[in-house]
Amino acid sequence: MKFKILCLTLVSTVAFGLSCPKSFDVKKIAKEVLKAEFSGIRVDGMQGHKCIQQGKFPYVLATHDSSNEEASEPQYTISREEEVKINNVKLVDKSSYVYEVSFSVNGVDIDSKKKVLHSDKILLNLFKDNRNISISGCAAVLGAPEKIAIYRDCYTP
Amino acid sequence: MKYFLPQFFIVSLLVSCVANNGGPKKFGRDFSMPSSSSEDEKNEGPSEYAPEVNEWHKEIKKFTGGYKTFPSSGEVTNYLNNQLSSPNNPCEGFEDSYGNKFGDEKSIHPAAFGARKVLAAMFQSCKALTQVIDDKTPPLEGVTTVKMKRGSAIPKKRKITNTKAYVDSHIVLNKLKEDKNYPGEKCEDVTKKPPVYGYGSRKAPNKSGVLNLSSSGAGVISSSKPAAGIDCSAFISTALGTQGLKVSKKAGPFTDNTTRSFHSFLGSKNSCLKRATYSEDQSIVPGDMINVAGSHIVMVDSVGEDPLAIKRFAKSGNCNSISVKDFDFTYIHSGNINNSYGPSRVHISKHSGGTMWNNLRTTAVKMCKRIVEGKKKSVSMKSLTSYSKFSVIRHNTTDPDCVSNERIKLRNEECVDGCLKDQEEKVSNEV
């Protein structure tokens, strides 16, 4: 019986697309979103890149969304092994589940080539209903980080 | 006396709207005065006018004391306010200074008309207005993004590498290529120098007030096959300029704005741009500009009955379930969509997310909740969003200081002037 329920859950997840484990808190969700952010979704010219394939992101919708107006080039590279630290979570709008998440991660400045502690913020809208979770995963990004950081293996100099 | 004259004029206008002179129509029906008197109706049976016509006559009769008195100015104002669904919907036959006819519920906001004009002029054909990018449109071929030297003002430029592949894969250009009558009289063949997205490709009119849309601009690399580049805010700036829609009362008909400057105008003195208000019956409308400062700007072109699905989800009380996929409207822009399409008309179904649409969604969810809570008052979209850089901008077209008599001319715009008027109603029916 348990096996049948497990199979049914797996099938329904595939049928409906993305998911969001109930155990995920805002910090965990923010980290999942940042995985997509660091994969180049804001970098002009990276649409369709192997780093942004949706299959790599079971919990967030990886939409390529570079600026149409300003330069969309990475400023920092980071290692996938580097842990992202969530410094602060601020509830901005309770009724709409909007949070401002401050984070920092060790990286290298592409211009100076120096190691830096990159700190930034992201504005997230968490989804609580199954319908939006299946379409977009745990959260949608309302405000992207000011600077673009990218995984080293996704970056082309 | 000075108060009597406007009153007299307004009532005369009302009466003229129903006079037997082929005057304005509402809902496509003739509102001529009934020639039969009540005595005639007794002998010949009731008049056969449409029910809404009879109802209207009853109202006017009551309003004017059986056509015997002039109402007060307050009564006239209240009556007109109740009759007009929007400021842009007076009796048909009214033609504003843009040459747009109003009264038809599908009239086009001048800003939206400007966007259509720019789009049609870029392709030298109104076919550009009938082809819509959606979630089924494949990406363009024959174009690539070239990375420039780090530190360059424009770090990435567009390069058309294969004009044939580009044209063949483009939903508008491939139609133009197959059209034996293209290019038309007074038109250029843009399949030889196609439009493309060009970050940094700005536009401005020359000293004669003529703007050349076919220049490549800084966003197209010099080694590209011929291409006409334009970026998002340059497109919208040009659209406004073709209609003389000023961004500030102190400005001229054309200003070269960026997404950031568009946003900054919202709070400034003498601004002609304001944040859109949402009401129980209306959210985004054609002519609204959806803007994320530093990222992108688009012009709403046509909207469905419930463009942000607010009414539908308010009925069920399930506002949080609104998704970007429930939206129903088209927009016109120049953007890095489907591999550098640039100027295009797009249906929102193309998108599942992205910061612009995620923010628009939150405004929909919040408005929906207001309706469910019984809050009927209109509200600025500012109070419906959490992201300070996001705005739905509406031009203050009703302020005469915000509309210039001068407009910028587009090079070769004569090519599309005729078909634009024909397309107006057809395009507004398509969402």
Side-chain angles (χ1 to χ4, degrees), chain B residues 343-358:
Chain B
S344 47
R345 188 165 173 245
V346 185
H347 190 268
I348 187 62
S349 61
K350 163 71 195 164
H351 304 284
S352 301
T355 54
M356 176 174 273
W357 311 119
N358 293 335

Side-chain angles (χ1 to χ4, degrees), chain A residues 42-47 61 63-76 92-93 95-98 109-111 123 125-129 131-132 135-136 140-144 146 155-157, chain B residues 145 147 150 155-156 158 197 199 202 231-233 257-260 294-296 312-313 320-326 334-337 339-340 352-356 358-359 361-362 365-366 369 386-387 389:
Chain A
R42 306 275 166 212
V43 179
D44 186 16
M46 279 190 71
Q47 53 265 55
L61 185 66
T63 304
H64 183 260
D65 188 25
S66 61
S67 170
N68 285 265
E69 167 130 296
E70 297 180 353
S72 306
E73 284 294 289
Q75 188 61 49
Y76 309 103
V92 171
D93 185 336
S95 66
S96 301
Y97 313 110
V98 176
D109 187 300
I110 292 173
D111 292 318
L123 193 67
N125 177 194
L126 269 58
F127 293 121
K128 301 291 185 185
D129 63 297
R131 187 168 182 261
N132 274 297
I135 296 169
S136 303
V141 176
L142 300 181
E146 283 293 320
Y155 176 62
T156 307
Chain B
T145 306
K147 199 164 181 175
R150 181 118 184 138
K156 285 199 174 114
R158 262 62 192 173
Y197 169 70
Y199 160 60
R202 310 297 298 176
D231 72 18
C232 61
S233 50
N257 292 294
T258 63
T259 56
R260 289 192 191 271
S295 182
H296 196 33
R312 175 156 58 110
F313 284 84
N320 283 326
S321 290
I322 292 176
S323 158
V324 172
K325 283 310 215 184
D326 297 310
S334 178
N336 180 19
I337 195 172
N339 194 24
S340 305
S352 301
T355 54
M356 176 174 273
N358 293 335
N359 277 288
R361 177 192 166 271
T362 59
V365 170
K366 291 200 82 161
K369 287 180 177 178
S386 303
Y387 189 41
K389 291 182 181 179

Side-chain angles (χ1 to χ4, degrees), chain A residues 11-30:
Chain A
V11 167
S12 64
T13 304
V14 170
F16 286 105
L18 301 172
S19 65
C20 187
K22 286 194 186 335
S23 60
F24 278 17
D25 62 3
V26 180
K27 288 185 180 181
K28 177 67 178 165
I29 290 171

Side-chain angles (χ1 to χ4, degrees), chain B residues 153-298:
Chain B
I154 299 175
K156 285 199 174 114
K157 297 195 178 194
R158 262 62 192 173
K159 180 178 182 179
I160 292 184
T161 55
N162 184 327
T163 305
K164 183 179 183 306
Y166 187 86
V167 169
D168 288 347
S169 60
H170 195 293
I171 58 171
V172 176
L173 293 169
N174 74 42
K175 293 254 180 311
L176 299 180
K177 186 182 166 185
E178 288 164 14
D179 184 353
K180 290 173 188 173
N181 296 319
Y182 181 83
E185 201 181 322
K186 299 179 192 174
C187 300
E188 281 185 353
D189 183 353
V190 305
T191 62
K192 295 182 168 44
K193 191 178 185 186
V196 71
Y197 169 70
Y199 160 60
S201 286
R202 310 297 298 176
K203 304 290 181 193
N206 62 18
K207 286 176 189 171
S208 307
V210 179
L211 189 143
N212 179 14
L213 287 169
S214 66
S215 59
S216 56
V220 177
I221 199 169
S222 55
S223 58
S224 167
K225 299 286 186 203
I230 188 167
D231 72 18
C232 61
S233 50
F235 186 97
I236 301 298
S237 296
T238 304
L240 296 177
T242 64
Q243 306 303 300
L245 299 178
K246 299 154 66 174
V247 295
S248 164
K249 294 177 188 179
K250 302 288 183 189
F254 174 84
T255 43
D256 183 18
N257 292 294
T258 63
T259 56
R260 289 192 191 271
S261 62
F262 273 121
H263 187 76
S264 70
F265 273 112
L266 288 170
S268 67
K269 194 180 171 188
N270 294 314
S271 175
C272 292
L273 303 179
K274 54 186 178 180
R275 286 182 172 84
T277 52
Y278 285 22
S279 69
E280 199 177 354
D281 299 314
Q282 180 182 285
S283 56
I284 59 169
V285 297
D288 281 351
M289 293 161 275
I290 305 174
N291 186 51
V292 179
S295 182
H296 196 33
I297 183 166
V298 308

Side-chain angles (χ1 to χ4, degrees), chain B residues 7 65 133 135-136 142 162 172 184 277 293 313 371 412 419 430:
Chain B
Q7 208 169 303
I133 292 176
D135 54 345
K136 297 175 187 55
N162 184 327
V172 176
T277 52
F313 284 84
I371 294 170
N412 288 343
C419 70
E430 296 171 10

Side-chain angles (χ1 to χ4, degrees), chain B residues 300-321:
Chain B
V300 176
D301 177 63
S302 58
V303 300
E305 277 294 316
D306 189 10
L308 302 185
I310 293 171
K311 292 177 196 172
R312 175 156 58 110
F313 284 84
K315 267 187 193 164
S316 65
N318 210 6
C319 300
N320 283 326
S321 290

